[in-house]
């Protein structure tokens, strides 16, 4: 695999590593179990992306770059600041998933060897699914479900 392709896979690894951290911030802000369950599944998908891409990078004789960079700190920090409850957590993750979708689409425009292309295509499918669900959850105002309203009411009683 050429150096350009390895660099692109490493960019995707970094993106997914940043997403895992951002999802943790969003999960910490959520109260509605259905939202938490879905976001946890999406976080797990991003971790699997890291594992799969790292395996391909190693097979090419290179070391995967999984260290956080400034962008990762900014994404995690923004998500932490913006995630104050289910609604804001979903809105924060919407932006992160739009970025992930864009980056995976760009990677698919490159020349990638067979196995790498298959993994990137599969990961891109996950990203599209994440983005679609988050958009639907926001449109449906999922945080206003009976469970979400009960959690908010219980929180108010504690004050």
């Amino acid at each position: 695999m050429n150096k350009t392709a390895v660099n692109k896979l490493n960019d995707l690894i970094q993106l997914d590593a940043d997403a895992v951290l951002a999802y943790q911030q969003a999960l910490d802000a959520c109260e509605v179990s259905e939202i938490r369950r879905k976001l946890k599944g999406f976080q797990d998908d991003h971790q699997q992306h890291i594992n799969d891409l790292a395996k391909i990078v190693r097979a090419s004789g290179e070391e995967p770059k999984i260290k956080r960079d400034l962008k990762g700190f900014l994404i995690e920090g923004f998500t932490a600041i913006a995630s104050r409850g289910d609604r804001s957590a979903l809105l924060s993750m919407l932006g992160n998933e739009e970025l992930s979708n864009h980056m995976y689409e760009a990677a698919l425009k490159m020349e990638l060897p067979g196995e790498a292309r298959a993994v990137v295509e599969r990961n891109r499918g996950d990203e599209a699914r994440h983005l679609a669900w988050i958009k639907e959850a926001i449109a449906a105002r999922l945080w206003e479900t009976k469970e979400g309203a009960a959690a908010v009411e219980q929180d108010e009683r504690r004050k």
Side-chain angles (χ1 to χ4, degrees), residues 35-52:
I35 294 172
R36 283 186 57 79
R37 183 181 57 75
K38 285 300 258 192
L39 295 186
K40 177 63 176 133
F42 297 164
Q43 182 187 42
D44 293 345
D45 287 345
H46 284 282
Q47 185 59 56
Q48 187 61 53
H49 297 172
I50 294 167
N51 298 342
D52 294 344

Side-chain angles (χ1 to χ4, degrees), residues 63-113:
E63 261 315 294
K65 296 180 182 163
I66 305 176
K67 294 181 182 178
R68 291 175 66 188
D69 60 6
L70 178 60
K71 176 181 56 70
F73 281 109
L74 294 174
I75 289 171
E76 182 184 12
F78 171 76
T79 304
I81 291 167
S83 295
R84 305 212 184 265
D86 297 274
R87 178 182 177 273
S88 61
L90 286 169
L91 290 170
S92 295
M93 296 318 299
L94 174 66
N96 290 336
E97 285 296 345
E98 287 173 337
L99 175 62
S100 293
N101 273 268
H102 174 73
M103 295 287 289
Y104 270 96
E105 286 169 11
L108 287 172
K109 292 178 181 172
M110 295 183 60
E111 239 183 84
L112 296 170

